[in-house]
Amino acid sequence: MLIILVFLIDMNEERMTEKLNILADAAKYDVSCASSGSKRKNENKGLGNASNGICHSYTEDGRCVSLLKILLTNHCIFDCAYCVSRKNNDIKRAAFTVQEVVDLTINFYRRNYIEGLFLSSGIFKDADYTMERLVRVAKKLRTEHNFNGYIHLKSIPGASDELMNEAGLYADRLSVNLEMPTEAGLKLLAPDKNQQDMIKPMGYLKNAIIKHTEEKKLFKKAPHFAPAGQSTQMIIGATPENDSEVLQSANYFYKNFKLKRVYYSGYVPVLADSRLPALNTAVPMVRENRLYQADWLMRFYGFKVNEIVNNAQPHLDLDIDPKLGWAIRNMQAFPVDVNKADLQTVKLHAGEWHTSALFEDVIKVVTDELRAARVLKGLKERISHIGIQRLYAAHLAGMAGEDLNLLGYIRYAFDSPMNIEEDYSNKYVIRVSELVRMVRREKHRMEAFVRFQQLTDGTFYAAVEPDFNVLPLLIRHFKSRYADQKWMIYDIKRKYGIYYDLHNTQFVELDFADLSKPNTVIAAFAENESVYQHLWKNYFNSVNIASRKNTKLHVRHIPKRYWKHLTEKI
């Protein structure tokens, strides 16, 4: 009986691995990876929150891996020339059940692999049949598993308003892909599709988002509705549109449908078709990047499309970025006197520091409590609460010789009659600022790169070796994110960890004297731990696009010193 059970488990893992490989590979060409813009918090002791927007890993082409990005199925009734899932393409077909998607999302999230779920699908039977299943996944995650992580659902053109409304109640973001920048391009490669069928749900979502936003102002407990808004995507390079046409189309949808983002996906030749670029055609990655830069100028700097491209120059210059191109064409506008020019001309945006409860938990040290309290009280009278937090972060760098710089900063704060936090003429202020930046960057990396492994007692354990002593800064993030599970993050380098028992966090020390590999031999792992690690590794490999490989960018995002604790790299 045991042999049969083990065989069935192995068969199920093999089947899930195959499905994941097929349906992740089919979804990887959708470039949307954003997991920010939502304000969904973990206020009910559930799992996760959707207010961070962290990239947990990066593919070998440097793309962010933030969400579990999969298709529900790659069966499709359409025959779009550019799509690997087109009905006449001779490929393996697969479909997840609703429960399988839910299980993958929950277990990947618990291990800190992802921020949430990005779920799309080929259209099987009809639009409503497909959309109903997408909604069921989101509803099950929210209502049965108390999941507060990020959910992005693809809206299926032609689905009913009732299903669209229900989707908005459970998803953080909804999107309808335009697919091609123009209707003529869509007709060329997908003659069975109509752009108006895509525009209709975008109009419904725009109005529904506005309506629910107004209700939220009047009633605090009014339900969320797609709090991260809606987005769309265009494939670039599959059809002959120039950059001016692409940006005019994007501008139209930004203005008329209040989109949060338009994504530009450089066409990756995967299918032979006389209507498409040849299979050996390079992916237009530089053009794609220039379009994003131009998009940024439009959204955040008030540039009009005809200031970036026009009929005389319909394509972006691939050798220089659009803002430099504009400057070269408008030399008469320079130089600019920032003291006299209006805000629109200068576009200076003051930075701001994001705070966190750094003193939520304290490591006790032997000290003179009365004198320390007196010094701290004096500091609080001279620098802001944020300044105190920054000083503490700088202290956690723990770098040799830096204590004198911290002491110099403190003495300068006491000696100066004014607040010294932004006095960058002082060497101590500059150095503290540099230390804070380094520590916060490491904190952010640990929030992304922690990889939990489930133990037999249900605790999720992760080993880390950060450059700086950032564990105290991680407490608030992980306590909020994983309120419903016991977890421990252990700093091997500094030989202490933080443990959460479903109520409180505490600092702990473990004795690894008899263990050669403390990061893997804490206790026996849960029975299914290896299954989910294997599935994650396969997923990570499946979403990589070989033709876009960029090792230099990949290593810049994930320095090699972190690889030994990353499940996908082990």
Side-chain angles (χ1 to χ4, degrees), residues 125-179:
K125 290 193 177 180
D126 57 50
D128 276 352
Y129 186 87
T130 306
M131 192 70 202
E132 187 269 336
R133 276 150 183 75
L134 299 181
V135 172
R136 276 173 55 193
V137 171
K139 183 177 182 179
K140 201 173 184 70
L141 284 166
R142 297 291 191 215
T143 60
E144 295 183 22
H145 293 270
N146 208 5
F147 180 69
N148 297 301
Y150 194 92
I151 297 178
H152 181 153
L153 292 183
K154 280 292 176 185
S155 304
I156 306 300
S160 68
D161 289 350
E162 290 76 17
L163 282 170
M164 295 293 288
N165 184 71
E166 192 174 9
L169 295 174
Y170 299 117
D172 294 285
R173 173 167 287 182
L174 295 168
S175 60
V176 183
N177 279 358
L178 287 170
E179 301 184 15

Side-chain angles (χ1 to χ4, degrees), residues 453-459 461 520-527 529:
Q453 302 172 81
Q454 189 176 19
L455 310 180
T456 52
D457 68 352
T459 301
Y461 168 81
T520 57
V521 198
I522 282 284
F525 291 132
E527 184 179 352
E529 177 57 33

